[in-house]
Amino acid sequence: MKSEELDRVRATPIEEVAGRLGMTVVRHTALCPFHNDKNPSLHFHRGKNRFKCFACGASGDVVDLVMKYNNVGFREAVEWLMEGRGERVEGRDYRTAANPGSSISLPSTFYPLPSTFYPLPSQKTPDLEYLSTLVAHPVINAEAAHFLFDERKIDPRVVRWCGLTSIDVPKPCWRWGKAFYDAPSLLIPYRDVDGKLITVQGRRLEELKIKEMGDEVSGQLNPPLGGGGATPRFRFPPGSKVGMYNKPVVRRLREGDELWITEGPSDCWAMLSAGRKAVAIPSATSLTMDDVGLIKDGLPRGVTLNMMPDNDRPGMELFQTLKRFFPELKGHVLPEGVKDFGEMWRGIRN
């Protein structure tokens, strides 16, 4: 690989790469996937196109991010990035091409929107046949029932509609391999408008008590469950095409309906429980051009777009960003002191 080719790979916008990996980026920050992060501590510097976690110290460029997140080597990470850009991968020595510590100066833009990602045949993609077996027969265990019904006040009909299920033992995301989804966890299917499975997100339901043993181990995608590193609360299989959540509701819309845009699956479940038709767009970086086209051109006539942004600065910035794509989007204000619609819904139900 020539030096200029590697420079082009390293110039891939880092927040776009993070979105493709399944991370939710809001206001240039995200929950760090390399340690047990409860508050977003991973920061993205778009000018330098690098990331740094101010809690665990993980840092690097786009290649480093893919290497650590997917637990792969330098060559595999570069191939993943090249194929995501639609470029041909040549079988050459990547390490001699350029100085890995170099940085690329990029123009500053507000919430770069990733293009729709079409995986090439040689790239890792979720094993949908296997993942479909994990969500084929939904079961809600005690931890999931407590989280959904007692804490979040979610209507059981919504749980059935969304196909939520839970696991008591760790599961891989491939047919064979190490554990990927922790236990106990919710498994959250992402489907297209026709109900076809796209990927499955895992949502851990309790804190894992795993002894920290340094960045090398905690940075692994699948750390040993007996010790040696913490895992993130939310996980997508590598190569997942992540976009808008709850797309099948689009087929339920009728002329004159309201469609509510929420900021994550939990708020989406709360909005559905309140009797409203809703989708979730966690961040502008998770929105694909397919999603933009679906909302712009795929809705019945007269459907109105509504959003009740989270009562914080990132929520309002996301609303303003989405309004640039959808000028007709109507904003609704939460009561003072209420963080998000999920919290508002819990207050109504209590």
Side-chain angles (χ1 to χ4, degrees), residues 301-328:
R301 179 182 302 177
V303 170
T304 59
L305 298 179
N306 298 266
M307 184 177 182
M308 193 175 290
D310 287 0
N311 227 345
D312 53 23
R313 184 173 177 179
M316 294 307 300
E317 288 183 347
L318 175 59
F319 172 74
Q320 292 297 332
T321 302
L322 293 177
K323 197 166 178 65
R324 292 170 59 192
F325 294 105
F326 316 115
E328 70 278 17

Short mmCIF file of all heavy atoms in Angstrom, two decimals, residues 301-328:
data_model
loop_
_atom_site.label_atom_id
_atom_site.label_comp_id
_atom_site.label_asym_id
_atom_site.label_seq_id
_atom_site.Cartn_x
_atom_site.Cartn_y
_atom_site.Cartn_z
N ARG A 301 -48.58 10.30 3.06
CA ARG A 301 -48.87 11.72 2.97
C ARG A 301 -49.46 12.23 4.30
O ARG A 301 -50.29 11.57 4.91
CB ARG A 301 -49.86 11.98 1.84
CG ARG A 301 -50.25 13.45 1.67
CD ARG A 301 -51.26 13.62 0.57
NE ARG A 301 -50.76 13.12 -0.70
CZ ARG A 301 -51.48 13.09 -1.83
NH1 ARG A 301 -52.74 13.51 -1.81
NH2 ARG A 301 -50.95 12.62 -2.94
N GLY A 302 -49.00 13.40 4.71
CA GLY A 302 -49.58 14.04 5.88
C GLY A 302 -49.02 13.58 7.21
O GLY A 302 -49.44 14.08 8.26
N VAL A 303 -48.06 12.64 7.21
CA VAL A 303 -47.44 12.22 8.48
C VAL A 303 -46.57 13.36 8.99
O VAL A 303 -45.75 13.92 8.25
CB VAL A 303 -46.60 10.95 8.29
CG1 VAL A 303 -45.75 10.67 9.54
CG2 VAL A 303 -47.49 9.75 7.99
N THR A 304 -46.75 13.73 10.25
CA THR A 304 -45.96 14.81 10.86
C THR A 304 -44.84 14.24 11.71
O THR A 304 -45.02 13.21 12.38
CB THR A 304 -46.85 15.72 11.72
OG1 THR A 304 -47.47 14.94 12.76
CG2 THR A 304 -47.92 16.39 10.87
N LEU A 305 -43.69 14.89 11.68
CA LEU A 305 -42.53 14.48 12.46
C LEU A 305 -42.46 15.28 13.74
O LEU A 305 -42.59 16.51 13.72
CB LEU A 305 -41.24 14.68 11.65
CG LEU A 305 -41.11 13.90 10.35
CD1 LEU A 305 -39.79 14.25 9.66
CD2 LEU A 305 -41.21 12.40 10.60
N ASN A 306 -42.26 14.57 14.86
CA ASN A 306 -42.23 15.21 16.17
C ASN A 306 -41.04 14.69 16.96
O ASN A 306 -40.63 13.53 16.81
CB ASN A 306 -43.51 14.91 16.94
CG ASN A 306 -44.76 15.45 16.25
OD1 ASN A 306 -45.21 16.54 16.53
ND2 ASN A 306 -45.33 14.67 15.33
N MET A 307 -40.52 15.54 17.83
CA MET A 307 -39.42 15.13 18.70
C MET A 307 -39.50 15.89 20.00
O MET A 307 -39.80 17.09 20.03
CB MET A 307 -38.07 15.39 18.03
CG MET A 307 -36.87 14.91 18.82
SD MET A 307 -35.30 15.18 17.92
CE MET A 307 -34.14 14.44 19.09
N MET A 308 -39.25 15.18 21.10
CA MET A 308 -39.15 15.78 22.42
C MET A 308 -37.72 15.57 22.89
O MET A 308 -37.40 14.57 23.52
CB MET A 308 -40.16 15.13 23.38
CG MET A 308 -40.37 15.89 24.67
SD MET A 308 -41.69 15.13 25.69
CE MET A 308 -43.15 15.52 24.71
N PRO A 309 -36.82 16.51 22.56
CA PRO A 309 -35.40 16.29 22.83
C PRO A 309 -35.11 16.13 24.32
O PRO A 309 -35.82 16.68 25.16
CB PRO A 309 -34.73 17.56 22.28
CG PRO A 309 -35.75 18.20 21.40
CD PRO A 309 -37.08 17.81 21.95
N ASP A 310 -34.05 15.39 24.62
CA ASP A 310 -33.59 15.30 26.00
C ASP A 310 -33.32 16.69 26.54
O ASP A 310 -32.89 17.60 25.80
CB ASP A 310 -32.31 14.47 26.09
CG ASP A 310 -32.58 12.98 25.89
OD1 ASP A 310 -33.75 12.61 25.70
OD2 ASP A 310 -31.61 12.21 25.93
N ASN A 311 -33.54 16.87 27.81
CA ASN A 311 -33.42 18.18 28.44
C ASN A 311 -31.97 18.50 28.78
O ASN A 311 -31.61 18.75 29.93
CB ASN A 311 -34.27 18.23 29.70
CG ASN A 311 -35.11 19.48 29.79
OD1 ASN A 311 -34.87 20.44 29.07
ND2 ASN A 311 -36.09 19.49 30.67
N ASP A 312 -31.12 18.46 27.76
CA ASP A 312 -29.72 18.81 27.95
C ASP A 312 -29.18 19.36 26.63
O ASP A 312 -29.86 19.34 25.60
CB ASP A 312 -28.89 17.61 28.43
CG ASP A 312 -29.05 16.38 27.54
OD1 ASP A 312 -29.42 16.54 26.35
OD2 ASP A 312 -28.80 15.27 28.02
N ARG A 313 -27.97 19.84 26.67
CA ARG A 313 -27.40 20.47 25.48
C ARG A 313 -27.24 19.49 24.32
O ARG A 313 -27.59 19.82 23.18
CB ARG A 313 -26.05 21.11 25.83
CG ARG A 313 -25.43 21.86 24.67
CD ARG A 313 -24.19 22.62 25.11
NE ARG A 313 -23.55 23.27 23.99
CZ ARG A 313 -22.47 24.02 24.09
NH1 ARG A 313 -21.92 24.21 25.28
NH2 ARG A 313 -21.92 24.58 23.03
N PRO A 314 -26.72 18.24 24.55
CA PRO A 314 -26.62 17.30 23.44
C PRO A 314 -27.97 17.00 22.80
O PRO A 314 -28.06 16.85 21.58
CB PRO A 314 -26.01 16.05 24.09
CG PRO A 314 -25.25 16.57 25.25
CD PRO A 314 -26.06 17.72 25.77
N GLY A 315 -29.02 16.92 23.62
CA GLY A 315 -30.35 16.65 23.08
C GLY A 315 -30.82 17.77 22.16
O GLY A 315 -31.37 17.53 21.08
N MET A 316 -30.58 19.01 22.57
CA MET A 316 -31.00 20.13 21.76
C MET A 316 -30.15 20.25 20.49
O MET A 316 -30.64 20.61 19.42
CB MET A 316 -30.91 21.43 22.56
CG MET A 316 -31.89 21.50 23.73
SD MET A 316 -33.61 21.17 23.23
CE MET A 316 -33.87 22.49 22.03
N GLU A 317 -28.86 19.92 20.60
CA GLU A 317 -28.00 19.96 19.42
C GLU A 317 -28.42 18.89 18.41
O GLU A 317 -28.40 19.12 17.20
CB GLU A 317 -26.54 19.80 19.82
CG GLU A 317 -25.96 21.01 20.53
CD GLU A 317 -24.49 20.86 20.85
OE1 GLU A 317 -23.97 19.72 20.75
OE2 GLU A 317 -23.84 21.87 21.19
N LEU A 318 -28.80 17.71 18.92
CA LEU A 318 -29.28 16.66 18.02
C LEU A 318 -30.55 17.11 17.33
O LEU A 318 -30.73 16.89 16.12
CB LEU A 318 -29.51 15.37 18.81
CG LEU A 318 -30.12 14.22 18.01
CD1 LEU A 318 -29.24 13.83 16.82
CD2 LEU A 318 -30.35 13.01 18.91
N PHE A 319 -31.46 17.73 18.07
CA PHE A 319 -32.70 18.21 17.46
C PHE A 319 -32.40 19.21 16.35
O PHE A 319 -32.98 19.14 15.26
CB PHE A 319 -33.58 18.87 18.53
CG PHE A 319 -34.78 19.58 17.97
CD1 PHE A 319 -35.87 18.86 17.50
CD2 PHE A 319 -34.81 20.97 17.90
CE1 PHE A 319 -36.97 19.52 16.96
CE2 PHE A 319 -35.91 21.63 17.37
CZ PHE A 319 -37.00 20.90 16.90
N GLN A 320 -31.49 20.15 16.60
CA GLN A 320 -31.16 21.15 15.59
C GLN A 320 -30.51 20.50 14.37
O GLN A 320 -30.76 20.92 13.22
CB GLN A 320 -30.22 22.21 16.19
CG GLN A 320 -30.86 23.08 17.26
CD GLN A 320 -32.03 23.91 16.71
OE1 GLN A 320 -32.07 24.25 15.53
NE2 GLN A 320 -32.99 24.22 17.58
N THR A 321 -29.69 19.48 14.59
CA THR A 321 -29.07 18.79 13.48
C THR A 321 -30.10 18.07 12.62
O THR A 321 -30.09 18.14 11.40
CB THR A 321 -28.02 17.78 13.99
OG1 THR A 321 -27.05 18.46 14.78
CG2 THR A 321 -27.33 17.08 12.83
N LEU A 322 -31.02 17.36 13.28
CA LEU A 322 -32.06 16.64 12.54
C LEU A 322 -32.98 17.61 11.80
O LEU A 322 -33.47 17.30 10.71
CB LEU A 322 -32.87 15.77 13.50
CG LEU A 322 -32.12 14.60 14.14
CD1 LEU A 322 -33.02 13.86 15.12
CD2 LEU A 322 -31.60 13.65 13.08
N LYS A 323 -33.19 18.77 12.39
CA LYS A 323 -34.07 19.75 11.76
C LYS A 323 -33.46 20.28 10.45
O LYS A 323 -34.19 20.73 9.55
CB LYS A 323 -34.37 20.90 12.71
CG LYS A 323 -35.59 21.74 12.29
CD LYS A 323 -36.06 22.62 13.40
CE LYS A 323 -37.24 23.49 12.95
NZ LYS A 323 -38.42 22.66 12.62
N ARG A 324 -32.15 20.21 10.33
CA ARG A 324 -31.51 20.61 9.09
C ARG A 324 -31.90 19.64 7.97
O ARG A 324 -32.01 20.05 6.81
CB ARG A 324 -29.99 20.64 9.26
CG ARG A 324 -29.49 21.75 10.18
CD ARG A 324 -28.03 21.58 10.49
NE ARG A 324 -27.21 21.59 9.29
CZ ARG A 324 -25.93 21.23 9.27
NH1 ARG A 324 -25.35 20.84 10.40
NH2 ARG A 324 -25.25 21.28 8.16
N PHE A 325 -32.08 18.36 8.31
CA PHE A 325 -32.49 17.39 7.31
C PHE A 325 -34.00 17.37 7.13
O PHE A 325 -34.50 17.10 6.04
CB PHE A 325 -32.00 15.99 7.71
CG PHE A 325 -30.51 15.85 7.71
CD1 PHE A 325 -29.81 15.82 8.91
CD2 PHE A 325 -29.80 15.77 6.52
CE1 PHE A 325 -28.44 15.70 8.92
CE2 PHE A 325 -28.42 15.66 6.53
CZ PHE A 325 -27.74 15.61 7.73
N PHE A 326 -34.71 17.64 8.22
CA PHE A 326 -36.17 17.59 8.20
C PHE A 326 -36.74 18.91 8.75
O PHE A 326 -37.08 19.00 9.92
CB PHE A 326 -36.68 16.40 9.02
CG PHE A 326 -35.91 15.12 8.79
CD1 PHE A 326 -35.16 14.55 9.81
CD2 PHE A 326 -35.92 14.51 7.54
CE1 PHE A 326 -34.44 13.38 9.60
CE2 PHE A 326 -35.20 13.34 7.32
CZ PHE A 326 -34.46 12.77 8.35
N PRO A 327 -36.82 19.94 7.92
CA PRO A 327 -37.27 21.26 8.40
C PRO A 327 -38.67 21.22 9.02
O PRO A 327 -39.00 22.08 9.84
CB PRO A 327 -37.26 22.12 7.13
CG PRO A 327 -36.29 21.44 6.21
CD PRO A 327 -36.45 19.97 6.49
N GLU A 328 -39.48 20.25 8.63
CA GLU A 328 -40.84 20.17 9.16
C GLU A 328 -40.90 19.55 10.55
O GLU A 328 -41.98 19.45 11.16
CB GLU A 328 -41.71 19.36 8.19
CG GLU A 328 -41.41 17.86 8.13
CD GLU A 328 -40.25 17.47 7.24
OE1 GLU A 328 -39.43 18.35 6.88
OE2 GLU A 328 -40.14 16.29 6.89
#
